[in-house]
Amino acid sequence: MDKSEVLTNRQKMTFGEYLVLADIGTVEKEIPELVTELSRPFECCGVRVPETLNDITFGQLTRLQGMGNGVQLFFEPCRAVLGVTDEAVLAERAIVVIALASWVSREITRINKLFATTRVAPTSEELNAGVETLDFGPFGLVDYFAIRMGMTDHGAVEHVPWVRVYQCLKIDADKTKYERRLRKVYEEKK
């Protein structure tokens, strides 16, 4: 049986049925290989899927970034992006849930790459001083944004669009790079 036949035979299977079959080992091994080929579904669980994740909040983004592995890779995108229940996910066609999870994973990778561009390489002096000990993870990012925006409630940051947090990081990184270049120009003048 070729991959297209496997996919055709499983088109109507619900995600709940897929999980049962996967648990007892009767789902063909080709299906996981197909997920990278699946594109964003138009709709999942009766909810239209956005074209990008650019409009989700920072809270939704952190939920998706921290979803771990296993079945949460399928349920959490449906909860965080579409706001649907686990029961709705179990009743949806497996191929749609798998396609959504695959697309969300690609979107999260894209967003993480954007955030990575806001990192400023530390100077040798900063490395000698132990700058690497100042990585406070997601809480540090929430704290940074709250302080930068004059917010007293860290929880409020969860409701901010992630794009706004990214833009602030990018602006600050660009300023830091400029200030370093300017200092170097002044040093060379002396």
Side-chain angles (χ1 to χ4, degrees):
M1 183 180 293
D2 70 10
K3 288 182 182 182
S4 63
E5 286 179 272
V6 170
L7 189 58
T8 303
N9 291 340
R10 300 298 186 185
Q11 284 283 336
K12 295 188 185 205
M13 179 190 306
T14 68
F15 188 65
E17 293 167 337
Y18 173 81
L19 288 179
V20 169
L21 292 176
D23 191 44
I24 60 174
T26 59
V27 175
E28 289 85 353
K29 296 191 183 329
E30 290 86 357
I31 289 181
E33 294 172 8
L34 293 171
V35 298
T36 57
E37 301 169 14
L38 298 173
S39 59
R40 174 187 67 88
F42 179 77
E43 188 177 273
C44 182
C45 301
V47 179
R48 188 163 186 265
V49 176
E51 291 187 26
T52 69
L53 292 184
N54 289 351
D55 293 331
I56 65 172
T57 65
F58 188 71
Q60 289 170 301
L61 177 61
T62 56
R63 281 175 56 194
L64 292 168
Q65 288 172 325
M67 60 186 162
N69 51 16
V71 295
Q72 291 311 309
L73 289 173
F74 300 102
F75 285 104
E76 194 56 42
C78 295
R79 288 184 209 122
V81 177
L82 306 177
V84 299
T85 65
D86 291 355
E87 292 75 23
V89 176
L90 291 170
E92 178 61 88
R93 289 184 305 135
I95 197 73
V96 174
V97 174
I98 294 167
L100 177 75
S102 176
W103 171 76
V104 167
S105 177
R106 291 190 303 271
E107 279 288 282
I108 295 302
T109 299
R110 175 185 67 85
I111 293 167
N112 287 343
K113 286 179 182 177
L114 280 174
F115 274 96
T117 65
T118 66
R119 292 191 189 106
V120 178
T123 64
S124 59
E125 294 82 9
E126 290 170 335
L127 287 171
N128 287 337
V131 71
E132 67 278 355
T133 64
L134 297 179
D135 182 1
F136 302 112
F139 177 81
L141 187 53
V142 168
D143 188 56
Y144 151 82
F145 187 78
I147 291 169
R148 189 179 190 286
M149 300 305 290
M151 301 167 93
T152 57
D153 179 12
H154 281 162
V157 176
E158 288 186 12
H159 304 290
V160 173
W162 73 263
V163 174
R164 187 177 297 168
V165 176
Y166 162 75
Q167 286 295 335
C168 287
L169 284 169
K170 183 172 179 350
I171 288 168
D172 289 350
D174 289 346
K175 282 183 181 179
T176 299
K177 291 173 187 173
Y178 165 75
E179 289 166 359
R180 285 183 181 175
R181 288 191 307 270
L182 182 61
R183 263 194 310 269
K184 191 172 182 176
V185 168
Y186 284 143
E187 288 170 7
E188 289 172 359
K189 265 188 157 181
K190 291 181 182 180

